[in-house]
Amino acid sequence: MEKIYDKNQTKCKIVKAKPETIQFLLNYSKSLKITEASGIKFESNMN
Amino acid sequence: MEIQIADSILIQDYINGDERALETLINRHNQRLSSFIYSKVSDREITEDIFQDTFIKVIRTLKRGRYNEEGKFLPWVMRIAHNLIIDHFRKSSRMPMFEGSSSFNIFSVISDEKLNIEKQLIKTQIDEELILLIDELPVDQKDVLVMRIYKDMSFKEISENTGVSINTALGRMRYALINLRKIIEENNIVLTN
């Protein structure tokens, strides 16, 4: 029985973005700066 | 009991410069968004890529002050992901990349193993005839068509390679197809399999 349960459990993996991806997004957000000049918005990445 | 801060407040905090608010938002919707993307693409790596691209769009929109509070945050994020999923399927349905010589023909890449001898003969004949027809095109149109169809280059790459604007490359492709149809009609050629 134990083996059968094990088999089913592996089929039900929760899909979630990796911590590395989230860290990348947070770093991207921190580095992204928006500057406005004469009504036009410019993006700059301070990496 | 932990009190959950509403998405709209977190968004406002983030717009005001609180980067931790974004972390909360991402973690809160991580599983739902990832599951939604995975249910459509059935691939973990692609799910990861689309998830990342979705939040890049979210970050840019929020930072630019373009977010409209009328709608709810999650449905808006889902809509962005949905559009990116469509883009992904559009891209992947394009022909595979192939660096071929001038004698290369596309049908050798997508050949069907199940074809019988008769169909194979017909197909080979059509391939050869198509190459002859393409050869009849003006050089500038032929170049664009070969780069686009046989080498799977984007119009941006074609414009960089030929030194013309993207619009000109698009125009040449259009005329190449129109002229091919014209040649086929004028000569009563039947290309069927």
Side-chain angles (χ1 to χ4, degrees), chain B residues 101-104 126-143 145-146 150 176 179-180 183-184:
Chain B
S101 63
S102 55
S103 59
F104 158 74
I126 291 169
D127 293 354
E128 285 166 5
E129 279 171 355
L130 199 58
I131 289 166
L132 291 173
L133 291 176
I134 291 167
D135 264 329
E136 292 294 309
L137 292 171
V139 181
D140 52 358
Q141 292 171 22
K142 186 180 135 185
D143 286 348
L145 187 134
V146 169
Y150 290 94
N179 285 332
L180 263 184
I183 298 166
I184 291 167

Side-chain angles (χ1 to χ4, degrees), chain A residues 17-18 21 29 41 43, chain B residues 14 19 30 48 60 63-64:
Chain A
K18 289 178 196 159
T21 308
S29 167
K41 284 177 179 168
E43 279 182 20
Chain B
Y14 176 62
E19 293 287 336
N30 184 351
E48 203 83 26
R60 290 179 67 208
K63 287 227 169 185
R64 278 174 164 256

Side-chain angles (χ1 to χ4, degrees), chain B residues 145-159:
Chain B
L145 187 134
V146 169
M147 281 187 248
R148 181 74 194 109
I149 304 293
Y150 290 94
K151 295 184 180 171
D152 199 32
M153 288 163 72
S154 68
F155 281 104
K156 191 171 177 279
E157 288 165 338
I158 294 170
S159 82

Side-chain angles (χ1 to χ4, degrees), chain B residues 88-103:
Chain B
H88 158 74
F89 282 117
R90 273 197 195 131
K91 268 186 224 158
S92 57
S93 67
R94 278 170 57 187
M95 285 183 201
M97 182 75 176
F98 194 92
E99 288 294 325
S101 63
S102 55
S103 59

